[in-house]
Amino acid sequence: MARSNGCAIMHVRVLLALAFFSVVLIVGDAQSSATLVPAIISFGDSSIDVGNNDYLYTIFKADYPPYGRDFKNREATGRFCNGKLATDITAETLGFTSFPPAYLSPQASGKNLLIGANFASAASGYYDETAYLYHAIPLSQQLEYFKEYQVKLAKVAGSKTASSILSDALYIVSTGSSDFLQNYYINPFLNKHQSPDEYSSMLVGIFSNFIKDLHSLGARRIGVTSLPPLGCVPAAITLFGFGSNGCVSRLNNDAKNFNKKLNAATNSLAKQFHNLKIAVFDIYQPLYDLVINPSSQGFFEARRGCCGTGTFETTILLCNPKSIGTCKNATGYVFWDSVHPSEAANQVLADSLLLAGINLIT
Ligand SMILES: *[C@@H]1O[C@H](CO)[C@@H](O)[C@H](O)[C@H]1NC(C)=O
């Protein structure tokens, strides 16, 4: 099964191997020679949450089977996937042998903090109101936790090492889908008063301010994911597709329009801050290509999630131990549940993340 756009990916892997080799040569001590960046610090929603929601009173949790079915020790960590998230795979590619802890978990203490932390919370968005609807951690609060993390890190590492960890770390922001699927499209207070275009502009405004805040707190390498093709996730087809079985183009157009604004804002931030490396990780195109032509990359099912039948989704969007017809083997499925890609699809997304992110880490 050919699952990557061959040459380009190989090229990046070779570049990474070379970069990795030189890092090992230059940096003497064991701790920092193991990885290409010292730490990964993440903000966002269920696309990147590694278990913060386990510690919240929210219905958006993934700390029970069959979530995590194909993860290490079959553990349901709180990741909204059968296995690894795209960013987990990226972390491994960068040389990490363990993952930065969910900030609210007991693991987020002591030396574990040296490799970063994850502040993401499923059902959160750029817009704090989205998170409030579901008792998730709003992005503004994620930033407050990050400030708290900085103090803890300085205690563990010493302030000089801490500040070099913070400036060399890779920051990943992955959010926005919930602002549409779990807020705008179902919330008349928003969709009666703002067009999707106005709403996107508001969200991208929040994004820009968030990046400025991160920059002022020491971030120098930031990757932000684009919105996925919202109209192609199984739940969206069921809820907004009026019985049609294809992707909902209205939703995809909204996502594309948002992504255009996100790209423009990112370019403008890059011009404004010369010491900031920032890139958009486009997940729209690779996921869209997978959905439209799954067999070209070794998949056979793009319409139904492995867990959940693709016909009974509600706004709850999750699967559970009683979900009817959960598939035996998720590797041929693009989607694990009715909104989240499978680990196999995340592998494809991680490849494209790497292509876009190579400039951030070398
Ligand atoms: C699922 O299928 C893939 C490819 O067909 C295979 O490589 C893999 O071992 C299977 N996994 C399980 C858990 O059966």
Side-chain angles (χ1 to χ4, degrees):
M1 287 186 285
R3 283 227 164 128
S4 44
N5 33 344
C7 264
I9 296 291
M10 271 316 293
H11 186 61
V12 169
R13 293 239 161 91
V14 170
L15 276 177
L16 273 176
L18 288 173
F20 186 76
F21 188 60
S22 43
V23 169
V24 173
L25 285 181
I26 294 161
V27 185
D29 71 291
Q31 184 73 39
S32 34
S33 66
T35 55
L36 271 173
V37 292
I40 299 179
I41 294 168
S42 310
F43 303 89
D45 62 15
S46 60
S47 59
I48 193 166
D49 184 352
V50 295
N52 285 309
N53 277 28
D54 298 1
Y55 303 92
L56 302 178
Y57 292 101
T58 171
I59 51 166
F60 284 94
K61 290 173 187 275
D63 56 352
Y64 51 83
Y67 286 102
R69 190 175 82 174
D70 301 312
F71 199 72
K72 198 174 53 174
N73 304 326
R74 298 174 175 266
E75 190 190 354
T77 55
R79 285 168 172 79
F80 286 74
C81 190
N82 57 311
K84 286 177 255 186
L85 304 175
T87 43
D88 291 330
I89 298 166
T90 303
E92 287 180 336
T93 309
L94 297 179
F96 286 80
T97 52
S98 61
F99 301 121
Y103 186 68
L104 296 188
S105 77
Q107 284 78 42
S109 68
K111 293 206 158 178
N112 291 347
L113 299 177
L114 294 172
I115 60 165
N118 182 305
F119 303 95
S121 170
S124 180
Y126 284 113
Y127 190 31
D128 279 357
E129 299 294 326
T130 302
Y132 293 140
L133 289 175
Y134 302 101
H135 308 286
I137 310 169
L139 196 60
S140 61
Q141 180 59 38
Q142 294 183 28
L143 195 72
E144 292 307 309
Y145 282 142
F146 173 55
K147 292 177 189 165
E148 198 180 277
Y149 164 79
Q150 293 197 328
V151 176
K152 292 182 181 173
L153 183 66
K155 278 188 191 140
V156 179
S159 58
K160 198 158 161 267
T161 307
S163 76
S164 85
I165 291 174
L166 292 167
S167 63
D168 289 340
L170 175 63
Y171 293 75
I172 306 177
V173 181
S174 181
T175 196
S177 295
S178 300
D179 288 316
F180 284 91
L181 292 177
Q182 288 162 250
N183 195 354
Y184 184 81
Y185 293 132
I186 57 167
N187 185 349
F189 291 102
L190 286 175
N191 61 40
K192 294 270 180 273
H193 298 107
Q194 287 185 67
S195 67
D197 186 62
E198 290 166 334
Y199 187 63
S200 283
S201 295
M202 180 193 77
L203 297 180
V204 171
I206 297 170
F207 158 77
S208 291
N209 286 329
F210 184 72
I211 298 301
K212 287 175 194 168
D213 287 340
L214 274 187
H215 178 262
S216 75
L217 289 166
R220 294 295 179 265
R221 303 162 162 193
I222 305 176
V224 55
T225 60
S226 69
L227 280 186
L230 295 173
C232 295
V233 307
I237 296 174
T238 304
L239 293 169
F240 307 110
F242 299 107
S244 153
N245 206 33
C247 299
V248 187
S249 52
R250 173 175 67 101
L251 273 58
N252 280 353
N253 288 338
D254 291 344
K256 280 194 277 194
N257 185 43
F258 174 94
N259 289 343
K260 227 183 264 170
K261 290 175 195 278
L262 183 74
N263 276 301
T266 301
N267 289 338
S268 136
L269 287 161
K271 286 203 187 95
Q272 208 175 328
F273 301 107
H274 292 287
N275 58 3
L276 174 67
K277 289 183 175 183
I278 182 165
V280 173
F281 297 154
D282 178 43
I283 55 170
Y284 187 101
Q285 202 58 45
L287 195 53
Y288 184 79
D289 291 345
L290 263 188
V291 168
I292 297 304
N293 194 357
S295 61
S296 70
Q297 303 193 63
F299 291 79
F300 60 82
E301 178 59 83
R303 172 63 187 89
R304 292 156 182 245
C306 165
C307 185
T309 65
T311 46
F312 296 116
E313 290 97 1
T314 65
T315 45
I316 299 298
L317 307 176
L318 300 178
C319 82
N320 63 60
K322 296 202 177 79
S323 295
I324 307 157
T326 297
C327 77
K328 290 235 155 38
N329 187 334
T331 51
Y333 284 72
V334 174
F335 292 99
W336 161 247
D337 63 15
S338 65
V339 271
H340 302 102
S342 64
E343 178 181 86
N346 282 334
Q347 179 66 59
V348 176
L349 297 182
D351 284 346
S352 106
L353 240 77
L354 208 55
L355 280 173
I358 188 81
N359 291 329
L360 294 180
I361 52 176
T362 51

